[in-house]
Amino acid sequence: MISTYDSDGSATGAAAGLIITLVFTALYVVLIIAIYVISSWFLSKIFVKAGEPAWKGWVPVYNSWVFLELGGQAGWWALVAFVPFVGIASSVFICLAAYNIGLRFGKTAAWVVLYILVPYVWWGIFAFNRSVWNPQPIAGIFIAPEWARPTSAVLRYVPQARPVYAAPPMGGPQNPTY
């Protein structure tokens, strides 16, 4: 039979184990709160640079929603992240959003590798560097399929799909030397 009492009949070993467990649990909770505060602070700075209110960075699931929509992806992928096994697809769309946001801030596509490896460092760099948000459509931005497009007011940041070839303007070409 397993007993929680020591050989002298006291329970000091069990009490010490409980205290150690409570200390590590408290440290874990403090660590989780610190990670939340730092990531929310970084996201709120990024959102302000992109023209969104800072408070959106502090709401736990909504900040992922807004991040996805700033990156041209549907915000509902933030909810899909909670579904087992399907959440992996959500991670792909979050990385695509980070890629698009990086291009909007004038960074190269290689910056998405930093986001994939250490997103907190990526958020910190983008929050405090001097890059400026470019709301105009940029070449190379991944445009989500129609069924996965954002539907909220953040749409003003999403490039609209255009045909690759457009008919020449009326009156002939503007530059006849080509």
Side-chain angles (χ1 to χ4, degrees):
M1 178 167 104
I2 298 175
S3 173
T4 57
Y5 294 100
D6 292 337
S7 60
D8 63 351
S10 66
T12 56
L18 177 64
I19 290 172
I20 290 171
T21 302
L22 290 175
V23 166
F24 279 111
T25 302
L27 289 174
Y28 181 72
V29 168
V30 168
L31 178 69
I32 294 298
I33 290 172
I35 289 171
Y36 166 74
V37 168
I38 290 170
S39 65
S40 296
W41 181 40
F42 289 165
L43 282 173
S44 67
K45 293 286 190 182
I46 291 171
F47 290 170
V48 167
K49 288 171 84 172
E52 291 293 321
W55 67 265
K56 291 182 179 183
W58 292 92
V59 181
V61 176
Y62 189 56
N63 59 15
S64 296
W65 188 291
V66 174
F67 185 81
L68 280 160
E69 289 193 340
L70 284 175
Q73 308 305 313
W76 52 263
W77 282 108
L79 300 177
V80 173
F82 294 106
V83 178
F85 302 111
V86 184
I88 296 170
S90 175
S91 300
V92 171
F93 281 96
I94 289 173
C95 290
L96 288 172
Y99 167 76
N100 290 341
I101 290 171
L103 291 179
R104 294 283 177 149
F105 277 118
K107 303 296 184 193
T108 62
W111 279 81
V112 76
V113 175
L114 180 65
Y115 181 82
I116 291 169
L117 297 176
V118 277
Y120 297 102
V121 173
W122 188 93
W123 289 333
I125 291 171
F126 277 68
F128 294 106
N129 69 1
R130 295 189 176 167
S131 59
V132 179
W133 179 260
N134 180 6
Q136 302 302 318
I138 298 173
I141 286 188
F142 175 80
I143 299 175
E146 189 66 39
W147 57 271
R149 292 244 174 93
T151 57
S152 73
V154 184
L155 272 174
R156 63 183 177 272
Y157 301 117
V158 178
Q160 300 301 316
R162 286 183 289 247
V164 176
Y165 172 77
M170 299 300 280
Q174 299 296 323
N175 186 1
T177 60
Y178 67 109

